[in-house]
Amino acid sequence: MELNNMAWSIFENCDDPACLKAASEWSKLSLEKEKDTPMFLDTFANLLYRLGDKDQAIKTQEKAISLLTANDKKRIMLRRFKK
């Protein structure tokens, strides 16, 4: 979880390609430990997209979405209104 959180923080706060590349490596490591975790896949997909690998980003995000439960989807939808 910690690697994913660090990778997400870089995604949100840094535009430097070297930082984003490092964050994508951290994200990959988090997925090695928990490969079917939607949140980790989402982080990796966002990093891939930012790095210009749109095709792989879409595939990764589709996998993340397919693994979400109904409760996850409800929580995500509610989060939009709570911001």
Side-chain angles (χ1 to χ4, degrees):
M1 177 78 107
E2 202 169 296
L3 282 173
N4 184 71
N5 290 344
M6 290 178 2
W8 183 254
S9 181
I10 294 295
F11 169 76
E12 287 187 312
N13 298 297
C14 183
D15 290 325
D16 176 36
C19 287
L20 294 169
K21 182 68 176 161
S24 73
E25 294 302 320
W26 301 337
S27 184
K28 271 193 230 179
L29 287 173
S30 70
L31 284 166
E32 286 176 13
K33 294 178 181 186
E34 297 182 54
K35 68 177 181 170
D36 289 334
T37 304
M39 181 173 66
F40 293 3
L41 287 162
D42 175 68
T43 298
F44 190 51
N46 277 280
L47 287 162
L48 289 170
Y49 187 83
R50 181 81 63 83
L51 288 166
D53 190 352
K54 293 180 183 181
D55 291 338
Q56 190 59 44
I58 291 168
K59 288 177 188 175
T60 303
Q61 192 70 330
E62 286 173 341
K63 181 176 180 180
I65 290 166
S66 75
L67 294 168
L68 289 173
T69 65
N71 284 337
D72 291 333
K73 291 174 186 175
K74 290 175 187 175
R75 208 173 51 246
I76 291 166
M77 292 172 73
L78 278 173
R79 191 178 322 149
R80 292 183 209 156
F81 294 111
K82 292 181 178 181
K83 284 187 178 184

